[in-house]
Amino acid sequence: SLEQAAVLAAPIRSPENLYNPEKNLDQLKGRWQYVLNSMAEVGTISAEDRDKAEFPKIKQWAPSNRYAGTKGYIISAVEEELNAAGITDEEIKTGGLRIVTTIDRSMQSAAVNSVREHWPSKGSKDAHIGLVSVDAATGEIRALIGGLNYLKYQWNGATEAQVRPGSTFKIFGPAAAMINNGSLEGNYFDGKSP
């Protein structure tokens, strides 16, 4: 709206101090009126529009934490990769970098929804999760969940976990046999070493 545009234009000279709505609302209102008067003088708006304008309600800014939830694990992993490439934290936060990842938004969303849907409601106080979806053809990471909320627990279950594979590998032996025309029926293999 006209009123909102004037509020956005008003603090340009001194947004942090002189016209900051949290510190000097009255001065911002005066500058807002100056912007409207200037617009009317040059013919951008009519005097009638200027006179009808009402100073808009300004919502107090509430910072959001970009690390909240599961996305904090992705952000942290990307920052670690950038640091390893020689880019400092200061450069990451203020360097005007354009950072592109291979995370697929829809796959990430599906992974988050699946984890939330299937996470046990009882007895999971000390349980942790790690999930990575990798494109087998390219090796690109498409989804990553290092935990449920980075702000509560910064250990990344996807990138920092050192767990034993255990029974995960049991399927590879029979799968290899079947690929080579083997059968799971009637075959016995004595796994004793010589």
Side-chain angles (χ1 to χ4, degrees), residues 76-89 91-92 97 99:
S76 176
V78 169
E79 288 174 341
E80 286 178 25
E81 288 293 320
L82 292 170
N83 288 154
I87 300 171
T88 67
D89 288 334
E91 290 170 316
I92 292 169
L97 303 173
I99 300 166

Side-chain angles (χ1 to χ4, degrees), residues 13-30:
R13 275 188 43 208
S14 181
E16 195 53 41
N17 295 310
L18 194 55
Y19 304 118
N20 183 333
E22 293 177 359
K23 297 177 183 175
N24 296 307
L25 185 60
D26 288 338
Q27 286 196 260
L28 176 61
K29 286 180 180 179

Side-chain angles (χ1 to χ4, degrees), residues 71-128:
K71 67 183 177 208
Y73 296 97
I74 297 171
I75 294 169
S76 176
V78 169
E79 288 174 341
E80 286 178 25
E81 288 293 320
L82 292 170
N83 288 154
I87 300 171
T88 67
D89 288 334
E90 184 67 22
E91 290 170 316
I92 292 169
K93 290 178 179 40
T94 62
L97 303 173
R98 182 172 184 266
I99 300 166
V100 178
T101 72
T102 58
I103 298 291
D104 180 287
R105 190 179 298 252
S106 63
M107 291 178 75
Q108 180 69 23
S109 180
V112 169
N113 290 338
S114 181
V115 166
R116 287 193 176 135
E117 182 180 332
H118 298 291
W119 191 256
S121 59
K122 294 181 181 175
S124 61
K125 180 182 172 205
D126 294 324
H128 304 290

Side-chain angles (χ1 to χ4, degrees), residues 6-181:
V7 166
L8 291 174
I12 288 175
R13 275 188 43 208
S14 181
E16 195 53 41
N17 295 310
L18 194 55
Y19 304 118
N20 183 333
E22 293 177 359
K23 297 177 183 175
N24 296 307
L25 185 60
D26 288 338
Q27 286 196 260
L28 176 61
K29 286 180 180 179
R31 182 73 178 168
W32 173 81
Q33 191 62 58
Y34 171 80
V35 169
L36 290 175
N37 289 340
S38 297
M39 291 174 75
E41 279 179 31
V42 298
T44 307
I45 62 171
S46 67
E48 183 181 343
D49 286 340
R50 177 198 60 205
D51 296 340
K52 285 193 310 188
E54 292 183 21
F55 190 81
K57 179 173 173 45
I58 297 179
K59 293 181 184 175
Q60 186 168 2
W61 179 74
S64 65
N65 195 318
R66 66 190 190 123
Y67 290 96
T70 58
K71 67 183 177 208
Y73 296 97
I74 297 171
I75 294 169
S76 176
V78 169
E79 288 174 341
E80 286 178 25
E81 288 293 320
L82 292 170
N83 288 154
I87 300 171
T88 67
D89 288 334
E90 184 67 22
E91 290 170 316
I92 292 169
K93 290 178 179 40
T94 62
L97 303 173
R98 182 172 184 266
I99 300 166
V100 178
T101 72
T102 58
I103 298 291
D104 180 287
R105 190 179 298 252
S106 63
M107 291 178 75
Q108 180 69 23
S109 180
V112 169
N113 290 338
S114 181
V115 166
R116 287 193 176 135
E117 182 180 332
H118 298 291
W119 191 256
S121 59
K122 294 181 181 175
S124 61
K125 180 182 172 205
D126 294 324
H128 304 290
I129 189 161
L131 178 149
V132 179
S133 176
V134 179
D135 185 324
T138 64
E140 295 173 337
I141 297 174
R142 296 301 191 187
L144 183 142
I145 298 176
L148 296 176
N149 188 347
Y150 186 83
L151 295 179
K152 291 183 180 176
Y153 195 72
Q154 289 78 44
W155 183 79
N156 189 326
T159 62
E160 297 176 284
Q162 294 182 2
V163 295
R164 295 184 186 113
S167 296
T168 304
F169 282 98
K170 286 182 182 175
I171 192 63
F172 292 108
M178 292 175 73
I179 288 171
N180 292 310
N181 297 322

